[in-house]
């Protein structure tokens, strides 16, 4: 077996190549010597400049990595490496990627100049517990747990309360599963729900739901502030109330103190956000201590229930601050007398008075235990609901009572319901206590492993809070008397917080703890909402929000904070926790609905980028979560749901029409692609029925040398004809080589798109590069469109100035296009004098659209005016249809038949039949035909002369020396003599000289021949038709706004092409606006429904 020895040799070719590129290599391996420094020198080009950096790499990396670009192992890809990174470079960039946090953690660093100078990015290091679990707990537990959960249990009963808790927590759990799938599908920069929805469903949905989430967070701050003020005025410092007497006194007190508290909190957020973040752990500790004290009190109540007796008159609950009054008699100085309670029910305090309340006289006063304890069996009484109307007195069902009349004035002595309650109302009030699940995703920039921490921490937090809520419902129903549970403000238990009466060791633990937790939650909401608004504003998808993207020098959203404060003040002015809670429930439910929708859409579309690390999701779960969100919205408050959806819809439409267009690879775009694919496959089944036929346009545009649209009114006409319906493709041809003209093609596409936007043409643009313009037009006619969405009508302009041009290519390209459309069975429209067509801003208040129906073309001539009249420009024009009758036709019967036909077509139009009598061919017609043929013959001889040959050769040479734009109706391949662009060298022989002398002698003979030419009889007949028709049309339609007539087909023999152009000119002479129409060979209009 042969052996091979590999000997390393110096690659001299590579060294020469390097010197050509201007690169200096230092390669110690070539010399066999070791060097302490194996780094290559920095590379420069021949001019002493750094070589072009890759767009993927920063300039800081470029100096150290430039020489690697020309590694000998990658020499094959060295041109690619100028614009694309090596894999190692890309990976190093991705590993060093850090999220920009949305929170205000960097606020403290920004305040010191030193910190800004040493701006070294700090790697995120928060785990699941501190980064996701505890923040979610703090955001989920809130004011509803302490202020309203006992009242919800009392009104709805344990069973229905458990249903409410399970519905809300199931909704948030399903949403958390969908959110976990989205959050683990790649790196999620800080931005939370807004970022996830906008990048999954697009800027329209993202902006709409982002603003809804912002409004929900803003109203949440108002709700927390109202809760804090309620605790302050009801339980901490009741004497601080300013208003006392009127029915709305409490609401006015809430407005005054709530506004003051909001102003103070806004100042705190503006001045010292760092203190808010540092106090977050203190607020969380208050929440946890308060919850633990509730459980401790419930356990202690099994053996030693707390002493909180309540006073009952009959079965009605009395509102007493001093329980010593809970008796009808009292002993004073060893004498039994009436108690102070008589003074409340009897104006004179006399038992025999006729003015005493009958119910008070006939019923006894008793005391019952407000907190019977866990082992009392009170749970049986609290299983079922007891909904109340506004003003209804709280009654205990088991107590004996005599039903007697009670005066209205004494109702203030009883504990009564302040609002009418129902199951749906309680759902809306409780749901905010289940929100806050986005806290972990909002901190994704601070997490060490966000893709692991967000799902685990969020789902654990929801599980924990759900268990706390469920156990709290059961404990409240098992430990607390029903009338106390239904007492919202604790009037029956000496104005104590109801949940505080159960806590251990003191009610003050709950009162103080809940106060600080609600204040902290309000500060957190007031901190997060402006940053969310700033993120939306910086995305620049809603133009009028741009001002809120700016802030202080350190990035603090000053203007966004101001707007947030103003919106929160609206919630404060409502002044009722029970009315604000359903509002923010709507906005949060809207947000959660779209999180579930985003996950479901991405899962069903199976987009290649949808690869979440969180595997425990399914599209059915997302749809179930979406359905639950929608159901909860309408269950809690159907009118708030409609308002919230209306707000989101208006924002969506505003972004769609006014906002900046963003391409974020969203799922809605993928959904559109899937829907388009499905629809296109359905259209492939067969051609559309005649009832569904509409002109799908291919508009052929001509561009000038500066790539500007030469006849923009073609697009105007297309927009008026289509009115935004169906397919419109705008095409053009650039003459040249594709590799050389690609940039020119892109510029032309952009110019056409800009003009389409100006003319409001909704459609697509396609520009092709071809060596011959004629071939490019044929390519457009053959290949434009996709599947069933292909054009069926071609719109092209008239080749103006073809008579004056000695170059026949313009009209030959035009006629070739007519032949191609006929061969492809496509309809053709040629607007003549298109510059005189109206713009979209003009309005015709009167006038006619005249249709000259000479031959049947499938109904195109009848359908086009009807479509034009749908547009506001032509709407007030009347339609007239003219048809031509010959000598042997019955014109009267033709008119009747045509009127009947139009009636069955449901088209309103005047009908006229024009009789054309047989007449001799006039001298004018003969003269016109003769001039046409003489001109054709003379031009043909001129093109054959040698002088023209040399002039044409010079023209070709000049054209080769210029970079020019190809005309749509001119070509390079026709009648161009291929002459070398250099010198024309001719050898004069004797035969050549004699032939040239004979040609000169024959020139006068050729001229005489031209003068004695007799016109062809077929051309005379055609000219006669054109002249006679033109006379009739001009006579009847000279003042028409638009004239539509059949376009005769080109001759089968190409020798008569030039004559064909002359016939069309004669036919349309003297008419301002003409639309020549050729049908596509199929019926496009029907009388059947």
């Amino acid at each position: 077996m042969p052996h091979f020895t590999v000997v390393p040799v110096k690659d001299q070719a590579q060294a020469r190549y390097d010197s050509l590129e201007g690169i200096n290599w230092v390669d110690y391996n070539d010399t066999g010597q070791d060097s302490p420094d194996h780094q290559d020198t920095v590379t420069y080009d021949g001019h002493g400049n750094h070589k072009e950096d890759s767009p993927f790499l920063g300039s800081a990396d470029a100096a150290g990595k430039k020489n690697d670009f020309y590694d000998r192992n990658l020499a094959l890809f060295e041109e690619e490496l100028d614009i694309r990174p090596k894999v190692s470079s890309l990976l190093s960039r991705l590993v060093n990627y850090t999220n920009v946090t949305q929170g205000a953690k960097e606020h403290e660093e920004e305040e010191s100049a030193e910190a800004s100078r040493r701006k070294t990015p700090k790697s995120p290091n928060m785990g699941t517990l501190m980064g996701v679990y505890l923040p979610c707990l703090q955001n989920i537990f809130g004011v509803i747990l302490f202020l309203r959960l006992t009242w919800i249990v009392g009104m709805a009963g344990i069973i229905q309360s458990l249903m409410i808790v399970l519905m809300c927590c199931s909704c948030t759990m399903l949403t958390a599963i969908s959110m976990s799938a989205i959050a683990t599908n790649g790196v999620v920069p800080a931005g939370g729900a807004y970022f996830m929805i906008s990048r999954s469903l697009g800027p329209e949905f993202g902006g709409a739901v982002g603003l809804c989430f912002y409004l929900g967070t803003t109203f949440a701050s108002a709700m927390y502030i109202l809760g804090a003020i309620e605790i302050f005025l009801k339980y901490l410092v009741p004497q601080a109330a300013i208003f006392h007497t009127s029915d709305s006194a409490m609401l006015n007190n809430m407005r005054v103190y709530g506004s003051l508290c909001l102003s103070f909190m806004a100042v705190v957020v503006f001045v010292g956000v760092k203190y808010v973040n540092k106090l977050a752990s203190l607020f969380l500790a208050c929440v946890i201590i308060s919850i633990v004290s509730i459980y401790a009190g419930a356990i202690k109540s099994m053996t030693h229930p707390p002493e909180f007796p309540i006073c009952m008159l009959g079965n009605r609950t009395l509102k007493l601050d001093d329980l010593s009054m809970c008796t009808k008699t009292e002993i004073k100085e060893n004498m039994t007398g009436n108690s102070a309670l008589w003074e409340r029910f009897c104006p004179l305090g006399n038992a025999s008075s006729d003015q005493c309340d009958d119910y008070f006289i006939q019923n006894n006063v008793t005391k019952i235990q407000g907190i019977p304890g866990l082992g009392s069996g009170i749970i049986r009484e609290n299983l079922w609901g007891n909904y109340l109307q506004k003003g209804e007195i709280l009654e205990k069902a088991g107590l004996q009572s005599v039903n007697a009349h009670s005066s209205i004035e004494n109702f203030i002595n009883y504990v009564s319901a302040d609002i009418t309650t129902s199951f749906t109302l309680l759902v809306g009030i409780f749901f905010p206590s289940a929100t806050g699940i986005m806290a972990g995703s909002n901190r994704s920039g601070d997490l060490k492993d966000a893709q692991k921490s967000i799902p685990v921490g969020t789902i654990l937090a929801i599980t924990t809070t759900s268990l706390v809520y469920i156990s709290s419902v059961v404990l409240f129903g098992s430990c607390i008397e029903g009338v106390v549970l239904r007492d919202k403000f604790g009037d029956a238990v000496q104005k104590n917080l109801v949940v505080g009466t159960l806590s251990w060791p003191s009610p003050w633990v709950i009162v103080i703890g809940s106060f600080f937790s609600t204040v902290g939650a309000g500060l957190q909401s007031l901190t997060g909402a402006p940053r969310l608004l700033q993120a939306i504003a910086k995305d620049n998808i809603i133009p009028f929000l741009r001002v809120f993207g700016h802030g202080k020098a350190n990035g603090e959203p000053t203007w966004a904070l101001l707007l947030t404060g103003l919106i929160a003040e609206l919630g404060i002015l409502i002044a009722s926790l029970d009315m604000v809670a359903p509002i923010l429930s709507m906005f949060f439910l809207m947000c959660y609905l779209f999180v579930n929708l985003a996950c479901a859409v991405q899962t069903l579309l199976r987009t290649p980028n949808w690869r979440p690390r969180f595997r425990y999701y399914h599209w059915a779960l997302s749809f179930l979560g979406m359905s639950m969100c929608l159901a909860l919205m309408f269950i809690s408050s159907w009118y708030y749901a409609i308002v919230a959806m209306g707000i989101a819809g208006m924002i969506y439409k505003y972004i769609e029409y006014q906002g900046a267009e963003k391409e974020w690879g969203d799922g809605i775009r993928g959904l559109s692609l899937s829907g388009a694919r499905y629809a296109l496959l359905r259209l492939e089944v067969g051609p559309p029925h005649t009832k569904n036929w509409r002109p799908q346009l291919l508009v052929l545009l001509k561009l000038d040398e500066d790539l500007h649209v030469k006849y923009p009114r073609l697009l105007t006409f297309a927009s008026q004809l289509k009115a935004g319906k169906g397919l419109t493709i705008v095409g053009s041809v650039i003459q040249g080589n594709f590799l050389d003209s690609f940039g020119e093609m892109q510029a032309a596409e952009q110019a056409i798109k800009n003009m389409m936007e100006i003319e409001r043409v909704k459609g697509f643009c396609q520009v092709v590069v071809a060596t011959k313009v004629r071939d490019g037009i044929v390519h457009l006619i053959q290949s434009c469109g996709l599947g069933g969405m292909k054009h069926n009508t071609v719109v092209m302009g008239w080749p103006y100035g073809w008579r004056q041009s000695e170059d026949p290519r313009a009209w030959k390209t035009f006629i070739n296009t007519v032949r191609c459309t006929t061969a492809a069975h496509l309809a053709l429209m040629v607007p003549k004098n298109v510059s005189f067509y109206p713009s979209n801003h003009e309005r015709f208040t009167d006038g006619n659209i005249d249709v000259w129906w000479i031959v049947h073309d499938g109904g195109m001539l009848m359908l086009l005016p009807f479509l034009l009249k749908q547009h506001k420009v032509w709407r007030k024009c009347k339609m007239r249809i003219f048809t031509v009758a010959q000598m042997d036709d019955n014109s009267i019967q033709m008119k009747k038949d045509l009127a009947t036909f139009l009636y069955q077509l449901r088209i309103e139009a005047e009908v006229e039949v024009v009789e054309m009598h047989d007449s001799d061919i006039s001298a004018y017609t003969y003269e016109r035909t003769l001039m046409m043929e003489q001109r054709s013959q003379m031009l043909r001889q001129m093109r054959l002369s040698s002088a023209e040959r040399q002039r044409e050769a010079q023209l070709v040479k000049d054209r080769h020396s210029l970079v020019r734009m190809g005309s749509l109706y001119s070509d390079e391949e026709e009648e161009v003599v291929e002459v070398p662009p250099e010198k024309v060298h001719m050898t004069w022989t004797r035969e050549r000289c004699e032939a040239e002398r004979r040609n000169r002698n024959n020139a006068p003979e050729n001229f005489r021949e031209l003068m004695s030419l007799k016109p062809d009889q077929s051309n005379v007949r055609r000219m006669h038709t054109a002249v006679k028709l033109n006379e009739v049309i001009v006579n009847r339609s000279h003042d028409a706004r638009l004239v539509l007539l059949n376009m005769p087909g080109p001759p089968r023999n190409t020798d008569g092409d030039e004559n064909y152009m002359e016939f069309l000119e004669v036919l349309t002479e003297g008419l301002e606006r003409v639309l020549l129409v050729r049908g596509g060979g199929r019926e496009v209009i029907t009388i059947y429904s």
Side-chain angles (χ1 to χ4, degrees):
M1 188 172 182
H3 295 275
F4 298 94
T5 304
V6 179
V7 181
V9 296
K10 185 173 181 179
D11 191 354
Q12 295 179 357
Q14 177 68 38
R16 286 194 299 270
Y17 175 78
D18 294 341
S19 64
L20 287 175
E21 293 292 328
I23 299 171
N24 301 318
W25 284 83
V26 180
D27 193 346
Y28 296 99
N29 294 327
D30 287 346
T31 60
Q33 301 173 357
D34 293 332
S35 170
D37 186 6
H38 285 70
Q39 291 187 350
D40 299 334
T41 59
V42 181
T43 60
Y44 294 88
D45 62 11
H47 304 287
N49 300 320
H50 290 281
K51 288 186 71 64
E52 181 184 359
D53 290 341
S54 164
F56 294 93
L57 298 173
S59 57
D61 303 329
K65 297 179 180 177
K66 192 70 65 177
N67 51 356
D68 293 338
F69 279 11
Y70 293 93
D71 194 309
R72 296 181 182 187
N73 295 329
L74 299 178
L76 184 61
F77 300 94
E78 58 194 12
E79 292 187 5
E80 307 277 341
L81 291 172
D82 279 340
I83 56 171
R84 299 176 183 176
K86 289 198 302 184
V87 174
S88 58
S89 305
L90 177 65
L91 291 177
S92 66
R93 297 281 296 188
L94 291 176
V95 168
N96 294 328
Y97 171 79
T98 57
N99 292 327
V100 180
T101 60
Q102 183 187 356
K105 281 187 67 177
E106 70 276 10
H107 180 85
E108 188 175 358
E109 294 181 5
E110 290 286 351
E111 288 185 346
S112 90
E114 276 184 44
S116 60
R117 278 198 299 270
R118 49 180 172 81
K119 191 89 173 182
T120 56
K122 187 178 179 182
S123 60
N125 55 5
M126 297 184 75
T128 303
L129 181 67
M130 296 300 296
V132 181
Y133 181 71
L134 292 179
C136 282
L137 283 185
Q138 182 184 0
N139 279 266
I140 295 173
F141 286 134
V143 64
I144 302 296
L145 171 63
F146 302 116
L147 293 184
R148 293 293 183 269
L149 189 56
T150 54
W151 175 71
I152 291 173
V153 174
M155 291 293 180
I158 294 175
I159 294 178
Q160 292 187 38
S161 298
L162 289 175
M163 288 177 58
I164 292 173
V165 171
L166 286 174
M167 285 170 59
C168 297
C169 293
S170 299
C171 177
T172 54
M173 178 63 80
L174 292 172
T175 304
I177 292 173
S178 299
M179 184 196 72
S180 300
I182 297 173
T184 58
N185 187 48
V187 179
V188 179
Y194 164 68
F195 181 88
M196 289 189 291
I197 295 171
S198 62
R199 269 58 177 181
S200 297
L201 293 179
E204 292 88 0
F205 279 111
V209 180
L211 278 183
C212 285
F213 192 46
Y214 163 74
L215 291 173
T217 309
T218 304
F219 275 102
S221 65
M223 185 189 74
Y224 289 129
I225 291 172
L226 289 174
I229 299 303
E230 183 177 313
I231 296 170
F232 178 75
L233 290 178
K234 285 283 187 181
Y235 312 113
L236 282 176
V237 192
Q239 58 272 21
I242 301 173
F243 305 96
H244 300 280
T245 54
S246 64
D247 294 337
S248 60
M250 184 60 188
L251 297 180
N252 292 328
N253 286 325
M254 298 278 280
R255 292 183 180 110
V256 172
Y257 281 100
S259 300
L260 292 175
C261 184
L262 174 64
S263 303
F264 175 74
M265 287 184 176
V267 171
V268 170
V269 171
F270 178 75
V271 173
V273 180
K274 58 182 178 180
Y275 301 114
V276 177
N277 291 325
K278 287 182 178 178
L279 289 173
S281 55
L282 173 63
F283 299 143
L284 178 60
C286 292
V287 174
I288 294 174
I289 292 172
S290 301
I291 293 173
V292 170
S293 71
I294 294 173
Y295 283 102
I299 294 171
K300 183 178 177 293
S301 70
M302 293 181 66
T303 55
H304 299 85
E307 288 293 328
F308 280 99
I310 58 175
C311 189
M312 308 293 295
L313 176 62
N315 64 352
R316 297 179 179 179
T317 310
L318 290 176
K319 187 188 299 183
L320 295 178
D321 296 336
D322 185 5
L323 275 177
S324 62
M325 295 174 59
C326 190
T327 178
K328 285 189 176 183
T329 60
E330 59 182 353
I331 300 174
K332 291 182 181 179
E333 298 177 356
N334 295 326
M335 292 182 66
T336 302
N338 293 337
S339 67
L341 197 60
W342 286 82
E343 297 176 1
R344 293 197 175 192
F345 290 93
C346 301
L348 303 178
N350 187 355
S352 61
S353 173
D354 294 336
Q355 298 182 4
C356 274
D357 188 88
D358 289 343
Y359 189 87
F360 175 72
I361 295 296
Q362 297 182 31
N363 287 280
N364 296 324
V365 176
T366 56
K367 288 183 183 179
I368 63 172
Q369 188 62 25
I371 313 293
L374 199 58
S376 63
I378 196 70
I379 187 173
R380 287 190 296 272
E381 297 181 13
N382 294 330
L383 280 177
W384 307 106
N386 190 3
Y387 297 107
L388 301 176
Q389 297 294 318
K390 182 177 181 180
E392 191 175 344
I393 298 172
L394 273 60
E395 298 178 349
K396 180 172 171 58
L399 287 180
Q400 186 178 359
S401 172
V402 178
N403 193 10
H405 175 71
S406 182
S407 61
I408 297 176
E409 293 82 5
N410 293 323
F411 270 84
I412 61 171
N413 297 317
Y414 300 110
V415 181
S416 61
D418 64 330
I419 60 172
T420 300
T421 54
S422 63
F423 180 81
T424 58
L425 175 74
L426 299 182
V427 171
I429 292 175
F430 176 77
F431 187 80
S433 64
T435 60
I437 62 174
M438 301 290 183
S441 62
N442 289 343
R443 294 168 176 256
S444 58
D446 301 328
L447 300 174
K448 187 185 300 181
D449 187 358
Q451 297 190 4
K452 176 184 176 184
S453 298
I454 289 176
V456 175
T458 306
I459 292 174
L460 278 179
I462 295 175
T463 305
T464 304
T465 53
S466 301
L467 292 175
V468 169
Y469 287 139
I470 291 171
S471 59
S472 297
V473 167
V474 176
L475 286 177
F476 293 158
S478 304
C479 298
I480 304 176
E481 176 62 48
V483 289
V484 178
L485 287 173
R486 290 187 285 278
D487 183 7
K488 184 186 293 185
F489 301 112
D491 293 326
V493 285
Q494 297 89 54
K495 297 191 182 301
N496 279 299
L497 184 61
V498 173
V499 71
T501 60
L502 183 61
S503 63
W504 179 88
S506 169
W508 288 101
V509 175
I510 292 288
V511 173
I512 296 173
S514 60
F515 177 76
F516 280 111
S517 69
T518 49
V519 169
L523 281 171
Q524 292 285 349
S525 299
L526 212 55
T527 303
R531 282 163 179 74
L532 180 59
L533 180 61
Q534 187 182 40
I536 298 172
K538 284 187 174 179
D539 267 344
N540 200 23
I541 59 174
I542 304 177
F544 68 83
L545 290 182
R546 287 172 188 161
V547 65
F548 299 108
H550 307 293
K552 293 196 291 187
N554 56 7
E556 286 300 303
T558 309
W559 293 106
L561 177 61
L562 181 62
L563 180 64
T564 303
L566 293 176
I567 297 175
E569 179 63 21
L570 297 178
I572 297 293
L573 293 177
I574 295 174
S576 173
L577 185 68
D578 304 319
M579 293 181 68
V580 173
I583 295 176
L584 66 100
S585 294
M586 290 303 114
F587 291 123
F588 278 120
L589 281 167
M590 182 78 70
C591 176
Y592 296 165
L593 184 149
F594 282 101
V595 169
N596 286 297
L597 176 63
C599 180
V601 166
Q602 298 276 28
T603 306
L604 288 175
L605 288 179
R606 294 191 180 97
T607 52
N609 194 51
W610 180 247
R611 302 184 299 274
R613 290 190 179 276
F614 181 76
R615 299 293 182 186
Y616 306 101
Y617 71 94
H618 194 269
W619 65 265
L621 292 177
S622 299
F623 268 113
L624 180 60
M626 186 176 66
S627 304
M628 288 191 69
C629 289
L630 192 62
L632 284 174
M633 287 176 68
F634 282 93
I635 285 174
S636 56
S637 178
W638 63 268
Y639 44 89
Y640 279 158
I642 292 175
V643 170
M645 295 173 75
I647 292 173
M650 286 189 293
I651 297 170
Y652 178 94
K653 298 305 290 184
Y654 178 80
I655 297 173
E656 185 179 19
Y657 288 112
Q658 299 292 333
E661 294 183 3
K662 301 284 183 182
E663 175 51 58
W664 287 332
D666 51 272
I668 293 298
R669 187 174 178 83
L671 189 63
S672 302
L673 290 172
S674 296
R677 173 182 169 273
Y678 175 77
L680 286 172
L681 290 174
R682 287 287 303 271
L683 288 174
E684 277 289 291
V685 175
H689 192 272
T690 304
K691 291 186 291 186
N692 295 326
W693 194 94
R694 64 170 66 245
Q696 316 285 13
L697 302 183
L698 169 61
V699 184
L700 298 176
L701 285 186
K702 183 176 181 180
L703 303 179
D704 59 19
E705 294 181 359
D706 298 325
L707 301 181
H708 295 146
V709 178
K710 197 164 185 181
Y711 301 112
R713 286 296 165 88
L714 273 176
L715 292 176
T716 310
F717 172 72
S719 70
Q720 293 168 4
L721 184 65
K722 300 297 292 180
K725 302 294 190 300
L727 176 72
T728 303
I729 303 173
V730 181
S732 187
V733 180
I734 292 179
Q735 188 171 343
N737 182 272
F738 179 75
L739 295 178
D740 300 331
S741 305
F742 181 72
E744 202 173 344
M745 182 191 77
Q746 288 184 314
E749 278 189 0
Q750 191 58 46
I752 293 175
K753 286 179 180 177
N754 293 339
M755 186 57 65
M756 290 172 67
E757 188 174 349
I758 293 171
E759 298 295 339
R760 297 182 179 179
V761 176
K762 294 182 179 179
F764 308 97
C765 170
Q766 187 164 353
V767 178
V768 298
V769 179
T771 53
K772 302 172 184 177
V773 174
R774 178 183 297 182
D775 292 344
I777 294 175
V778 174
H779 293 331
L780 285 173
I781 291 173
Q782 290 184 86
S783 61
C784 278
L786 182 63
M789 284 295 287
K790 292 182 73 71
H791 57 278
N792 55 29
T793 306
V794 177
V795 180
M796 62 186 302
W798 179 261
Y800 302 102
W802 68 273
R803 281 172 169 169
Q804 289 75 26
S805 173
E806 296 176 357
D807 185 2
R809 291 169 303 185
W811 54 265
K812 286 208 171 191
T813 303
F814 174 81
I815 296 177
N816 184 69
T817 306
V818 176
R819 285 196 173 101
C820 289
T821 55
T822 305
H825 300 290
L826 300 176
L828 175 67
M829 288 188 284
V830 181
K832 200 162 180 286
N833 302 327
V834 73
S835 301
F836 296 105
Y837 276 55
S839 69
N840 285 324
H841 304 292
E842 295 181 44
R843 302 284 188 282
F844 287 144
T845 56
D846 55 4
N848 299 312
I849 299 177
D850 287 356
V851 176
W852 285 84
W853 191 21
I854 300 167
V855 294
H856 182 56
D857 57 355
M860 278 280 290
L861 284 173
M862 259 79 76
L863 184 62
L864 291 177
F866 171 78
L867 295 176
L868 278 175
K869 279 170 60 65
Q870 307 304 309
H871 197 272
K872 55 191 175 184
V873 173
W874 306 91
R875 187 166 294 149
K876 295 187 178 180
C877 292
K878 294 180 180 179
M879 182 174 166
R880 297 191 302 183
I881 296 184
F882 298 88
T883 188
V884 177
Q886 302 298 325
M887 283 297 295
D888 53 348
D889 293 328
N890 187 343
S891 58
I892 299 175
Q893 187 62 38
M894 279 182 66
K895 185 172 183 178
K896 289 181 181 179
D897 294 343
L898 182 56
T900 304
F901 181 56
L902 290 177
Y903 176 78
Q904 292 174 336
L905 288 176
R906 291 91 61 201
I907 292 178
E908 294 182 7
E910 296 181 20
V911 176
E912 291 191 36
V913 176
V914 178
E915 296 181 353
M916 290 187 66
H917 302 286
D918 286 341
S919 60
D920 295 333
I921 297 174
S922 64
Y924 171 75
T925 302
Y926 195 86
E927 181 79 15
R928 192 76 184 258
T929 310
L930 183 62
M931 288 174 58
M932 175 186 73
E933 294 193 356
Q934 285 177 347
R935 178 181 178 278
S936 300
Q937 186 69 20
M938 183 172 60
L939 288 174
R940 193 175 294 113
Q941 290 180 2
M942 286 175 62
R943 285 196 293 271
L944 294 175
S945 67
S946 60
E948 183 65 18
R949 283 170 177 268
Q950 292 185 6
R951 197 160 69 86
E952 186 70 13
Q954 185 63 36
L955 180 61
V956 170
K957 182 178 179 181
D958 293 342
R959 285 176 179 173
H960 276 294
S961 64
L962 296 173
V963 178
R964 65 181 187 86
M965 170 71 194
S967 166
L968 185 62
Y969 300 128
S970 64
D971 241 329
E972 287 286 341
E973 81 275 15
E974 294 290 338
E975 283 84 40
V976 176
V977 183
E978 294 293 337
V979 180
E982 303 299 325
K983 269 196 260 183
V984 180
H985 180 72
M986 299 181 67
T987 303
W988 291 92
T989 61
R990 181 184 298 276
E991 293 80 8
R992 177 77 180 177
C993 290
E994 290 178 358
E996 186 66 23
R997 195 176 294 115
R998 281 196 301 272
N999 286 337
R1000 288 176 183 174
N1001 294 333
N1002 289 337
E1005 295 178 10
N1006 291 337
F1007 183 74
R1008 285 192 296 271
E1009 214 174 276
L1010 196 63
M1011 290 295 101
S1012 61
L1013 186 70
K1014 291 187 177 180
D1016 184 79
Q1017 288 303 312
S1018 62
N1019 286 340
V1020 172
R1021 288 197 309 274
R1022 289 189 178 93
M1023 182 63 74
H1024 176 68
T1025 304
V1027 170
K1028 293 292 290 180
L1029 269 177
N1030 179 256
E1031 288 177 359
V1032 173
I1033 294 172
V1034 171
N1035 183 37
R1036 298 295 185 96
S1037 302
H1038 62 276
D1039 57 346
R1041 299 295 187 184
L1042 180 65
V1043 176
L1044 290 84
L1045 71 149
N1046 292 112
M1047 180 180 181
R1052 292 186 178 87
N1053 186 2
T1054 57
D1055 293 339
D1057 284 355
E1058 191 171 5
N1059 300 335
Y1060 171 71
M1061 296 296 296
E1062 187 69 31
F1063 295 147
L1064 293 181
E1065 286 282 10
V1066 172
L1067 183 63
T1068 58
E1069 223 167 32
L1071 298 173
E1072 185 179 15
R1073 301 184 192 93
V1074 184
L1075 181 63
L1076 298 171
V1077 180
R1078 275 185 66 77
R1082 60 162 296 172
E1083 294 293 330
V1084 299
I1085 196 167
T1086 178
I1087 64 175
Y1088 300 105
S1089 61

